Amino acid sequence: MSSNKKPIKRIAFYGKGGIGKSTTSANLSAALSKQGLKVMQIGCDPKADSTMLLSRSKVPTVLNVIREKQDQIALSDFVIEGFNGVLCVEVGGPTPGVGCAGQGIIGAFGKMNELKAIETYQPDVVIYDVLGDVVCGGFAVPLRDGYAEDVYIISSGERMSLFAAYNISQAVHQFRNRGYAKLKGLIFNSKGGNNEEQRVLESLEEIGTKLAFTFPRDPIVQKCEKESITVIEGAPESELANKYRQLASILMR
């Protein structure tokens, strides 16, 4: 018997730490959920703060649950429902000072596969929010093995952010002939600096991608973050919320 269910859309957002990647991911998850889609957001950062604007608090990480419960683990131990039904997952990190965060991602993804997280929840969209300061084998996992199909880099016009964007693009291109994820573009998240947009535009050729979308600096982001909510929830009629909704629609094409 054939199924009419559409294939799962799998999107990975990479970028330098502190660039607004998690804020963007959470708002896009919220916007997609408001379009009637079932969304799962997986935070792949040892800080485990990717989903805080959706869950309003830190959720138990996969790695902590593994350490505490070992083999007695249920999906409900680390898959937490957040704003508008968005499924929130945080990979987490190793014990501080011990172990490798990249290896932790590999172990956490392995456990989610073992427990059949995607098959059980059957989301329409899976968003991977991945730290891009270091693109080692562990942090590159969402690029491989069928996890993500589309990759977007989030960057400001700051030099180190663009440097990270270049490194991320090189990692994606390493896998381009193997049927893995493809780099779809750079999302410019403005910090409001002088000539910032020009620096981004001048860097696109070297990075090897196109400009996919631009977010202007907007204080409404900080206002909503202080309340631990997304702009989609806290300021749904704002122009910025409209921009998140616009990009959410682009992602699903």
Side-chain angles (χ1 to χ4, degrees):
M1 182 181 294
S2 63
S3 172
N4 292 324
K5 185 174 175 61
K6 292 183 179 179
I8 299 170
K9 189 76 169 178
R10 302 168 187 261
I11 307 165
F13 293 105
Y14 276 78
K16 182 182 178 297
I19 208 62
K21 174 175 48 60
S22 294
T23 298
T24 302
S25 297
N27 274 284
L28 289 170
S29 289
L32 288 164
S33 76
K34 283 293 189 178
Q35 292 179 4
L37 298 171
K38 188 174 185 179
V39 184
M40 175 179 281
Q41 180 167 322
I42 302 175
C44 304
D45 186 323
K47 296 193 302 297
D49 59 357
S50 171
T51 60
M52 284 187 67
L53 298 181
L54 296 163
S55 63
R56 297 201 176 192
S57 62
K58 282 202 169 187
V59 304
T61 70
V62 179
L63 291 178
N64 275 344
V65 170
I66 291 173
R67 282 191 287 266
E68 292 169 4
K69 296 195 172 186
Q70 298 182 9
D71 294 328
Q72 307 300 314
I73 299 173
L75 285 170
S76 57
D77 291 329
F78 58 78
V79 181
I80 306 301
E81 190 170 307
F83 171 74
N84 204 44
V86 175
L87 299 167
C88 301
V89 178
E90 294 284 356
V91 167
T95 302
V98 180
C100 166
Q103 286 296 322
I105 290 177
I106 293 171
F109 274 58
K111 179 57 69 173
M112 286 188 284
N113 285 341
E114 178 188 324
L115 296 175
K116 300 187 181 302
I118 302 300
E119 294 87 342
T120 299
Y121 290 98
Q122 297 189 328
D124 300 300
V125 189
V126 180
I127 287 181
Y128 299 94
D129 173 12
V130 194
L131 181 66
D133 292 81
V134 180
V135 193
C136 68
F139 286 97
V141 164
L143 304 178
R144 312 191 313 253
D145 305 328
Y147 287 110
E149 57 184 354
D150 296 340
V151 176
Y152 291 87
I153 300 172
I154 299 178
S155 178
S156 70
E158 295 172 327
R159 184 173 65 89
M160 293 308 295
S161 181
L162 290 170
F163 181 70
Y166 172 79
N167 285 336
I168 294 161
S169 75
Q170 293 304 297
V172 179
H173 293 323
Q174 288 289 331
F175 304 121
R176 63 185 169 188
N177 295 324
R178 305 183 197 178
Y180 294 154
K182 293 180 174 59
L183 182 57
K184 301 288 284 186
L186 184 143
I187 297 169
F188 171 36
N189 195 29
S190 176
K191 293 276 190 175
N194 292 332
N195 301 318
E196 188 183 19
E197 184 173 4
Q198 185 61 33
R199 285 195 298 275
V200 170
L201 294 175
E202 290 173 353
S203 300
L204 289 174
E205 183 176 355
E206 183 178 9
I207 292 170
T209 193
K210 65 181 180 180
L211 183 64
F213 205 81
T214 297
F215 285 107
R217 184 171 178 80
D218 193 326
I220 203 165
V221 171
Q222 286 75 32
K223 179 182 177 183
C224 290
E225 285 184 343
K226 285 181 180 178
E227 300 176 31
S228 295
I229 55 178
T230 61
V231 174
I232 296 297
E233 180 180 3
E237 303 304 318
S238 65
E239 182 57 32
L240 185 58
N242 287 335
K243 284 188 170 292
Y244 285 125
R245 286 189 282 265
Q246 183 181 351
L247 179 55
S249 296
I250 291 172
L251 298 177
M252 296 304 294
R253 291 175 184 168

